[in-house]
Amino acid sequence: MSVLAWTYIFVGVSFTLYLFIAWRSRVRDTKGFYVAGQGIPAAANGMATAADWMSAASFISMAGLISTMGYAGGVYLMGWTGGFVLLALLLAPYLRKFGHYTVPDFVGDRYDSNIARFVAVICAIFVSFTYVAGQMRGVGVVFSRFLEVDINVGVMIGMAIVFVYATLGGMKGITWTQVAQYWVLITAFLIPAIAISIKLTGNILPQAGLGGVLNESVAGEQGVYLLEKLNQIQTDLGFSSYTETFVGSWDKANVFFVALALMVGTAGLPHVIVRFYTVKSVKAARWSGFWALLFISMLYLTAPATAGFARYFMIQSLNGKTAESLPGWYHSWEKTGLITWVDDGDGVIRYSAGADNEVFRNGALAASEVGSIRQNHQKWLDSEGQLGADGRAVLRAKGLSGPDRDIIVLATPEMAELANWIIALVAAGGLAAALSTASGLLLVISSSVAHDLYYRVINPKASEKKRLQVGRTVIGFSVVIAGLFGIYPPGFVSQVVAFAFGLAASSFFPAIVLGIFSKRVGTIPAVSGMIAGIGFTAFYIIGCVFLGMKTWTFGIFENGINPQGIGSIGMIINFAVTLGTMHFFPRPSQKIQDMIDSVREPEGVGPAVNIETAAEH
């Protein structure tokens, strides 16, 4: 059967399963809607947490980044994995013992202020919408290639599916749907990695294949290691060695700050934290963290191998090819507009570094970049609409590169000429990764508005039915906004997601850590710190990404700090403002200090603060 036929089968079966689970798990009360009734087993919650956390960025874009960046791309893997360890060990058990529905709920009650709650709601919405933009973008990419529809149509299909099972089952439906989505995405990621590893090196383990010797039929000679071959190919084409550390703008400072931002951002992500509220006890929350790390490691330990395989096939199948000899996978993806070829007149693709050591690949350009050039630089086009010599100089000056990094993992099975059913399975896995995270983020937005803002501030006497109605309505509006972000994304998937982590790092992480471990920090210092942290981070990201502002060196760094790592600086500002002002303002009330003591006591020693008693605060 064709790839399209297999795709319809896999996507149809998996979507039917998701909708069936949502129907069977539908809820009629807010506790079920927001925290799944706090009855999810630890192992199942670990799978759901893994699916919720391993978004389109992990499945689609992370290996693509490692593939194009080489060694430096490992910063994403290190930051995200380390962050989950930080969350599971440092924060999750305490937040579960606190027993609320959401992060803004914790902030509002810990700092005894509706102003603090409101600021946390705004931060949660800002972070979640930034994050969900990457997920909807991933959905559109998958649909556009494998169902052969326009990216915008793909985003709309994804919006409709998420809306149905998020509004129907709430957190309970989302949790059990994510359990199914985890197995879909992990199977779809591992099978092609194993198949390619066997094909290239004869090793069944992709990790061994990455460090293994290429088969003689592939390398043309004996004893050639895959990474050695990649290094040779890269340097021959003018790029830095694939395994070289700290290349270009990815110096030590940027690697450190981006890894730190991703790490502490993970520990401050509202849609991940809320997963620890869905289990029965603090002990179950700790076990959830263990299971989640185990399930996450299955993908994260495989991603570098997938990236290396993809890089090998990408260069070997494109460089030096003519229009007549381009591989079939290129023509398939060209239809999506995510890769195209700008001919400079000789009809040959040169996948290589250009003048002044800037990345320039004649061919391999994202269609959006080509469209921008054609729109803004008409004077460099010849009579037939092709780029002349001056036009090629523009491309070199802009340092454009491609193909679109979000297609690399999805296209790798086709590059490797694997079976059609494996290619289609990858599509189903990419959709599962994007939809699982999107649903969790939409529920965070819903709970932030319906529970934290509407019920806890505007209408505390609202009935259960009314609160559910508001929550589902907010999800509807959120889906539409998320879809618009998917249609007009502010960047590629992992870049957008990294921005969200930076915003979470600069806003929530200090407030949560100090809220648990310090009884001295009061309302005004905490709120001031959150506003200062997220305000600075948002200003820097928006300025550098959208307004042409140059990155800042702060007078000590050789290269400016990458916008993806600025959340680390925002976090430092948050801590500095909070700790620097706390002695000028009163301590929290005795009631709040007693609550903090209760949360920090080992389970079974003191009474846990629960939703009902905390509401009295």
Side-chain angles (χ1 to χ4, degrees), residues 53 87 103 127 131 264-274 441 500-501 504 508 512:
W53 189 66
L87 171 62
V103 173
V127 169
Y131 203 151
V264 296
T266 298
L269 283 177
H271 77 288
V272 176
I273 291 174
V274 74
L441 290 165
F501 278 75
F508 285 126
I512 294 172

Side-chain angles (χ1 to χ4, degrees), residues 238-527:
F239 299 109
S240 58
S241 173
Y242 188 77
T243 58
E244 185 177 344
T245 60
F246 309 124
V247 178
S249 63
W250 286 93
D251 54 13
K252 290 182 181 180
N254 270 303
V255 169
F256 173 78
F257 281 115
V258 172
L260 180 61
L262 297 177
M263 185 178 296
V264 296
T266 298
L269 283 177
H271 77 288
V272 176
I273 291 174
V274 74
R275 293 243 51 97
F276 293 95
Y277 291 144
T278 63
V279 293
K280 299 177 181 179
S281 64
V282 176
K283 181 180 180 181
R286 293 184 185 277
W287 275 105
S288 288
F290 166 79
W291 286 113
L293 280 169
L294 177 65
F295 294 131
I296 289 168
S297 68
M298 295 173 68
L299 188 147
Y300 269 57
L301 292 177
T302 308
T306 299
F309 301 154
R311 186 64 173 171
Y312 176 82
F313 282 117
M314 180 73 71
I315 296 177
Q316 294 289 75
S317 63
L318 282 183
N319 188 53
K321 296 295 190 294
T322 63
E324 293 75 23
S325 62
L326 282 168
W329 73 265
Y330 177 92
H331 295 297
S332 297
W333 280 96
E334 188 178 29
K335 297 174 184 177
T336 68
L338 296 173
I339 182 172
T340 191
W341 179 20
V342 180
D343 189 4
D344 68 353
D346 64 0
V348 179
I349 289 182
R350 293 184 184 84
Y351 199 69
S352 60
D356 301 324
N357 207 30
E358 289 192 22
V359 175
F360 169 63
R361 299 159 193 169
N362 180 30
L365 292 175
S368 59
E369 295 168 334
V370 176
S372 174
I373 292 165
R374 293 189 184 280
Q375 180 179 356
N376 300 320
H377 302 287
Q378 287 290 328
K379 63 182 180 180
W380 284 298
L381 300 180
D382 60 25
S383 58
E384 297 181 356
Q386 298 298 315
L387 290 166
D390 291 335
R392 294 197 300 277
V394 172
L395 295 182
R396 289 188 178 94
K398 290 175 70 65
L400 295 177
S401 61
D404 192 301
R405 279 170 274 198
D406 293 337
I407 75 170
I408 290 176
V409 169
L410 299 172
T412 299
E414 293 176 89
M415 298 180 205
E417 300 179 339
L418 300 183
N420 286 345
W421 70 269
I422 297 180
I423 297 171
L425 181 62
V426 171
L431 289 172
L435 294 177
S436 62
T437 303
S439 59
L441 290 165
L442 291 170
L443 195 68
V444 165
I445 296 169
S446 172
S447 60
S448 295
V449 175
H451 177 74
D452 297 314
L453 193 58
Y454 175 74
Y455 173 60
R456 297 302 299 273
V457 178
I458 298 174
N459 187 9
K461 296 181 180 180
S463 65
E464 196 88 355
K465 182 179 179 180
K466 182 66 175 177
R467 291 159 61 192
L468 272 176
Q469 181 183 354
V470 172
R472 286 171 168 149
T473 302
V474 172
I475 285 182
F477 282 108
S478 301
V479 166
V480 174
I481 297 173
L484 291 174
F485 277 125
I487 294 171
Y488 304 105
F492 57 88
V493 173
S494 276
Q495 184 184 45
V496 175
V497 169
F499 294 157
F501 278 75
L503 294 169
S506 62
S507 57
F508 285 126
F509 182 74
I512 294 172
V513 170
L514 295 176
I516 293 172
F517 297 105
S518 173
K519 294 193 291 182
R520 180 64 185 83
V521 178
T523 304
I524 295 177
V527 171

Side-chain angles (χ1 to χ4, degrees), residues 135-171:
Q135 311 316 309
M136 301 313 294
R137 156 79 173 176
V139 170
V141 169
V142 175
F143 271 125
S144 67
R145 162 62 187 96
F146 294 101
L147 295 185
E148 298 182 2
V149 298
D150 183 77
I151 285 184
N152 297 347
V153 175
V155 170
M156 293 176 188
I157 296 173
M159 288 165 55
I161 296 295
V162 171
F163 174 77
V164 171
Y165 72 74
T167 55
L168 192 64
M171 179 57 79

Side-chain angles (χ1 to χ4, degrees), residues 48-260:
T49 304
D52 201 355
W53 189 66
M54 289 192 298
S55 62
S58 293
F59 189 97
I60 296 175
S61 200
M62 182 178 68
L65 280 167
I66 298 174
S67 181
T68 55
M69 294 170 60
Y71 183 93
V75 66
Y76 292 91
L77 190 153
M78 293 184 293
W80 283 331
T81 307
F84 199 86
V85 175
L86 183 66
L87 171 62
L89 298 180
L90 180 66
L91 301 180
Y94 299 105
L95 291 172
R96 174 59 188 87
K97 195 174 183 187
F98 186 79
H100 273 35
Y101 286 163
T102 65
V103 173
D105 224 4
F106 168 82
V107 172
D109 282 351
R110 160 59 182 86
Y111 295 108
D112 199 17
S113 167
N114 280 336
I115 295 177
R117 188 187 309 276
F118 178 76
V119 171
V121 166
I122 297 301
C123 291
I125 292 174
F126 195 16
V127 169
S128 298
F129 270 129
T130 304
Y131 203 151
V132 82
Q135 311 316 309
M136 301 313 294
R137 156 79 173 176
V139 170
V141 169
V142 175
F143 271 125
S144 67
R145 162 62 187 96
F146 294 101
L147 295 185
E148 298 182 2
V149 298
D150 183 77
I151 285 184
N152 297 347
V153 175
V155 170
M156 293 176 188
I157 296 173
M159 288 165 55
I161 296 295
V162 171
F163 174 77
V164 171
Y165 72 74
T167 55
L168 192 64
M171 179 57 79
K172 184 177 179 182
I174 287 172
T175 297
W176 290 111
T177 301
Q178 286 172 338
V179 171
Q181 287 168 332
Y182 171 77
W183 288 110
V184 172
L185 73 88
I186 199 64
T187 302
F189 199 87
L190 293 180
I191 286 180
I194 292 170
I196 294 173
S197 181
I198 294 172
K199 183 173 184 175
L200 285 179
T201 68
N203 288 300
I204 192 171
L205 290 177
Q207 296 84 351
L210 178 64
V213 176
L214 287 168
N215 291 328
E216 187 176 353
S217 59
V218 175
E221 55 183 308
Q222 290 183 337
V224 178
Y225 285 90
L226 172 60
L227 287 175
E228 181 184 359
K229 184 71 172 179
L230 267 178
N231 285 338
Q232 177 190 336
I233 292 172
Q234 293 258 124
T235 53
D236 286 347
L237 296 178
F239 299 109
S240 58
S241 173
Y242 188 77
T243 58
E244 185 177 344
T245 60
F246 309 124
V247 178
S249 63
W250 286 93
D251 54 13
K252 290 182 181 180
N254 270 303
V255 169
F256 173 78
F257 281 115
V258 172
L260 180 61

